[in-house]
Amino acid sequence: MATIQEALLIAFDLHQDRRLDEADAIYRQILDALPGHVMALHLRGILLGQSGRLEEGCALIRQAIAGDGAQPDFHTNLAGLLEALGRLDEALDSMVQAATLDPTRLVQLNDFAMRSLKAGRPGEAAKALRVATGLQPLSIELRCNLAVALAANRQGAAAAAERRIALLLAPDAAEMLRLLGEYLLPLGRQAPDGEAVRTLRRALILDPLHHGIWNGLGRLHKEAGRLTEARRAYESGLAVDPAAAELWNNRSNVLKGQGDLETALAGQRRAAALQPDEIGIRSNLGDALLLAGHPEEALANTQAVLALAPDLGESRLLRALALLTLGRFEEGWAAWEDRWTVQPWLFAAGRFPQPAWMGRPLGGNRLLIWGEQGIGDEIQFASLLPLLVRAGVSCVLECEPRLVPLFARSLPEVEVVARGWPPDPDLTRTEAAAPDRPPIAAQIPAGSLPRLLADAKGVPLSAAPYLLADPARVSGFRAAIPVGTLAVGIAWHTTNPKHGRSRNIPLRVLAHALHRPGVRIVVLQYGDWTQEIAALTAEGIDIGGLPGLDPWSDLDGLAAAVAAVDLVVCIDNVTVHLAGALGRPTCALLPYAAEWRWLRDRTDTPWYPTVTLCRQQAPKDWSVPLRLARQRLDELAGG
């Protein structure tokens, strides 16, 4: 007859061979004879856990610990079952007990933290690593991992402190300095002489051939808006490692911000060639292709990316923009609905509880239309509202507060409400607010209207001109312009961070192109340009603003000013939308790779019948658009 120890060894061998039922039978026989046998309790607890009976397994291992709490294996295996049950705080306590008894068990504690971090639970990871560093305070790896967890948990100052401790433990580690510099970045310490810059420069002294340090320095400068310094840092990194795809990618992003789109595209192609399977780099290539004016290639690239990562929101949006740019409207408007997966649209999704309108009759109930993009977009898409009104749809429009007076006057049959965060409570109501006010039965973002209101080929419809400026203010502004003078309103600048550098024209260049006797150049541009305008006046150019007009805050006044001039010549900013929606003769000065709404290779636009598109024939070359605008001005002056 076998002894208890022999029986336990037989059961253990069966257990190892995955003959669980036979092993369990022997464990139970041992426990019938000796109910408090700690090793049998422990091993049967593990077996039950492996069989899916997690709660029973935990109970048995706890009994084993009650009999002998000095066994680190007992605590480690209990932690594993508790983690499988999702009881993470208890699992962490057991891992801490195991590591306290046996410092080599810190490996399991660290692994638990990394699993928690990967699962999106940085708080649990930080808690585990706090304990681990308490048990082994001189471990550089644990300090670094703790810093990662703290940073992910938005505890930037604590993360930087842990990095500094790690740095004290290894003061000459360039990689440590790089990581520390990058963790200082979100703490607002990225000034040119700030702590983050000093830390990264110290790392470069230790290892000037570390391209990752140059990359970190470039990222730091870019986040602070110092694009020239960022470009230099990335190029320094490429000088030491020309095969660093990440550096080519990041340099291209800086070049986009500087308006050097062709160079950005060349660099992005290089990055994609170096890492053809890196989805982020391939997606950025699609963006660079579209910005540089290659929508066909951008579409092909984006389709290839989506074949590998169908849920990548940025590429889905790029696909929509490429299709719309190419005039493939039917596909483009459908793809445009994917914009809700990326910023800034992501934050506006689900603002209203009503169901999305799909074009069906509302039975006398009201439809909510809400603007979800920039002011120019709101003006553009609002040109569809008169079509809805004519079709008998009762409309409520939520819009940018500065547009309310203009829209209310121009769309008298539409209820216009200023956008608020959160929305006006009346707009979120699904029941009737009053007997004479039917409920809002459905809602639709304004940018989704073209999908429903288009011709058979998807070409967008438009009721433009549909805006009506304040007649009294129009008369007042016109009175400020000398009698017999041809008034040309101009706007030349946008603060758009992505497109501004390719769209903007120097005021001096534009004013000289339009200067001629009998012409008053009227400033419709927001911002303070007093010195530049004074310098042009001193040269004999008749240029000036209109009294009492603030083009930024007073959009209703800006509309009146646009209506008061004879011709508008402007870049792609809000002014061109106002001019088109008011039906004013307009020359839109467009960059080589114009935004999707202006399509390609045409001088007219389906949105605004009175707008003529004057396109660059080569990047950064405004000679052709300015010549076309001058010809239009000469025609008016001659007439």
Side-chain angles (χ1 to χ4, degrees):
M1 184 175 180
T3 65
I4 294 292
Q5 188 61 29
E6 290 171 338
L8 189 65
L9 290 173
I10 293 169
F12 182 75
D13 287 340
L14 292 168
H15 191 166
Q16 290 291 95
D17 290 340
R18 303 296 296 173
R19 295 161 64 180
L20 300 185
D21 289 340
E22 297 171 66
D24 190 33
I26 298 175
Y27 287 146
R28 281 188 281 110
Q29 289 176 10
I30 294 171
L31 290 171
D32 286 341
L34 291 173
H37 194 288
V38 292
M39 192 56 67
L41 288 166
H42 172 235
L43 292 174
R44 185 166 188 250
I46 295 172
L47 184 147
L48 292 178
Q50 292 171 331
S51 303
R53 297 159 65 182
L54 299 172
E55 291 285 3
E56 296 174 73
C58 286
L60 288 180
I61 297 178
R62 287 191 190 280
Q63 290 180 46
I65 290 172
D68 183 0
Q71 296 292 330
D73 281 343
F74 293 4
H75 296 283
T76 297
N77 291 325
L78 175 60
L81 297 186
L82 289 167
E83 187 177 356
L85 284 166
R87 289 154 60 180
L88 302 177
D89 285 342
E90 295 176 66
L92 178 57
D93 289 341
S94 293
M95 288 184 190
V96 170
Q97 287 293 327
T100 303
L101 293 167
D102 178 6
T104 64
R105 304 302 170 105
L106 284 173
V107 173
Q108 283 84 10
L109 197 57
N110 183 61
D111 290 345
F112 170 80
M114 294 298 100
R115 287 195 301 275
S116 297
L117 191 60
K118 188 174 182 180
R121 302 190 300 267
E124 293 170 9
K127 184 178 178 182
L129 289 161
R130 283 279 190 206
V131 174
T133 54
L135 294 170
Q136 200 170 98
L138 300 183
S139 169
I140 297 173
E141 179 186 6
L142 291 176
R143 292 284 181 188
C144 290
N145 289 346
L146 176 55
V148 172
L150 289 167
N153 203 39
R154 298 185 179 180
Q155 296 174 261
E162 292 301 325
R163 287 290 177 196
R164 289 191 188 93
I165 293 172
L167 186 58
L168 290 172
L169 297 171
D172 294 328
E175 176 67 6
M176 195 71 64
L177 283 163
R178 179 186 72 83
L179 292 170
L180 176 57
E182 292 190 359
Y183 276 108
L184 289 170
L185 177 59
L187 303 181
R189 301 181 184 180
Q190 62 268 47
D193 58 347
E195 186 177 358
V197 174
R198 294 198 307 271
T199 301
L200 289 169
R201 293 206 179 282
R202 180 180 167 193
L204 285 171
I205 292 171
L206 294 170
D207 188 356
L209 300 182
H210 192 316
H211 79 260
I213 301 174
W214 286 111
N215 191 47
L217 190 61
R219 174 174 169 261
L220 189 152
H221 284 308
K222 181 177 181 294
E223 292 292 327
R226 298 189 295 271
L227 298 187
T228 300
E229 292 88 339
R231 178 176 179 172
R232 288 173 185 157
Y234 291 137
E235 289 174 350
S236 295
L238 288 168
V240 299
D241 188 357
E246 185 181 10
L247 283 168
W248 285 108
N249 178 75
N250 293 342
R251 173 178 175 266
S252 291
N253 287 333
V254 167
L255 290 168
K256 291 177 194 175
Q258 292 182 316
D260 193 351
L261 301 180
E262 289 298 328
T263 309
L265 175 57
Q268 200 67 60
R269 290 187 192 276
R270 182 77 175 271
L274 288 166
Q275 285 195 5
D277 298 327
E278 174 55 46
I279 295 300
I281 289 176
R282 286 291 300 278
S283 180
N284 283 343
L285 174 58
D287 183 56
L289 286 163
L290 194 58
L291 287 174
H294 306 285
E296 296 97 340
E297 195 177 350
L299 180 60
N301 176 83
T302 301
Q303 301 277 38
V305 171
L306 290 173
L308 300 172
D311 295 327
L312 189 62
E314 289 78 5
S315 287
R316 294 177 76 85
L317 179 62
L318 280 172
R319 176 176 177 268
L321 295 174
L323 287 167
L324 291 172
T325 302
L326 291 167
R328 293 167 59 175
F329 292 114
E330 193 168 359
E331 301 166 85
W333 294 129
W336 183 234
E337 294 305 308
D338 290 334
R339 67 191 184 280
W340 300 106
T341 62
V342 299
Q343 298 180 20
W345 293 274
L346 179 65
F347 301 125
R351 287 188 73 225
F352 298 99
Q354 295 90 348
W357 188 54
M358 302 306 293
R360 298 186 182 90
L362 296 172
N365 294 325
R366 294 182 295 160
L367 171 66
L368 171 63
I369 302 106
W370 49 283
E372 91 276 1
Q373 299 172 57
I375 293 174
D377 300 277
E378 292 199 49
I379 295 169
Q380 174 184 344
F381 294 128
S383 67
L384 296 164
L385 266 67
L387 304 179
L388 292 174
V389 171
R390 291 172 203 165
V393 179
S394 178
C395 299
V396 181
L397 173 64
E398 188 210 42
C399 67
E400 157 69 38
R402 289 175 290 169
L403 286 171
V404 169
L406 181 60
F407 279 168
R409 180 188 312 107
S410 307
L411 303 167
E413 295 175 285
V414 174
E415 181 184 347
V416 180
V417 180
R419 179 164 53 246
W421 298 91
D424 186 315
D426 285 343
L427 300 184
T428 60
R429 241 186 249 278
T430 55
E431 73 281 359
D436 61 339
R437 285 169 61 80
I440 295 174
Q443 55 80 26
I444 186 169
S448 295
L449 286 174
R451 186 183 182 190
L452 303 178
L453 301 174
D455 67 15
K457 295 182 179 179
V459 177
L461 301 178
S462 173
Y466 76 96
L467 290 183
L468 298 174
D470 181 345
R473 297 192 73 181
V474 173
S475 298
F477 286 142
R478 188 67 207 187
I481 299 169
V483 177
T485 300
L486 188 69
V488 180
I490 63 169
W492 60 89
H493 187 82
T494 175
T495 55
N496 186 297
K498 187 170 185 178
H499 302 286
R501 288 180 182 265
S502 63
R503 294 183 190 175
N504 293 339
I505 302 175
L507 169 57
R508 181 179 182 80
V509 173
L510 180 58
H512 276 274
L514 299 177
H515 171 54
R516 61 165 287 164
V519 169
R520 161 64 65 89
I521 300 176
V522 178
V523 174
L524 303 176
Q525 177 64 51
Y526 60 80
D528 183 5
W529 302 89
T530 307
Q531 292 184 352
E532 292 89 339
I533 292 169
L536 291 168
T537 301
E539 294 179 33
I541 294 177
D542 188 1
I543 181 172
L546 292 171
L549 175 63
D550 179 356
W552 175 261
S553 61
D554 183 12
L555 292 179
D556 197 29
L558 179 59
V562 169
V565 300
D566 300 294
L567 174 68
V568 174
V569 178
C570 63
I571 64 162
D572 182 5
N573 68 4
V574 67
T575 307
V576 75
H577 292 280
L578 282 173
L582 287 160
R584 303 305 297 157
T586 304
C587 291
L589 309 177
L590 300 180
Y592 178 75
E595 200 180 18
W596 65 269
R597 73 188 79 241
W598 308 120
L599 307 175
R600 295 192 314 161
D601 305 325
R602 56 189 290 175
T603 59
D604 67 330
T605 165
W607 299 109
Y608 307 120
T610 63
V611 173
T612 301
L613 307 180
C614 306
R615 301 175 180 273
Q616 286 183 344
Q617 299 304 300
K620 302 181 182 179
D621 181 2
W622 287 108
S623 60
V624 171
L626 291 174
R627 175 171 53 80
L628 294 172
R630 174 60 186 238
Q631 288 176 357
R632 181 70 173 116
L633 174 59
D634 289 343
E635 290 169 6
L636 285 176

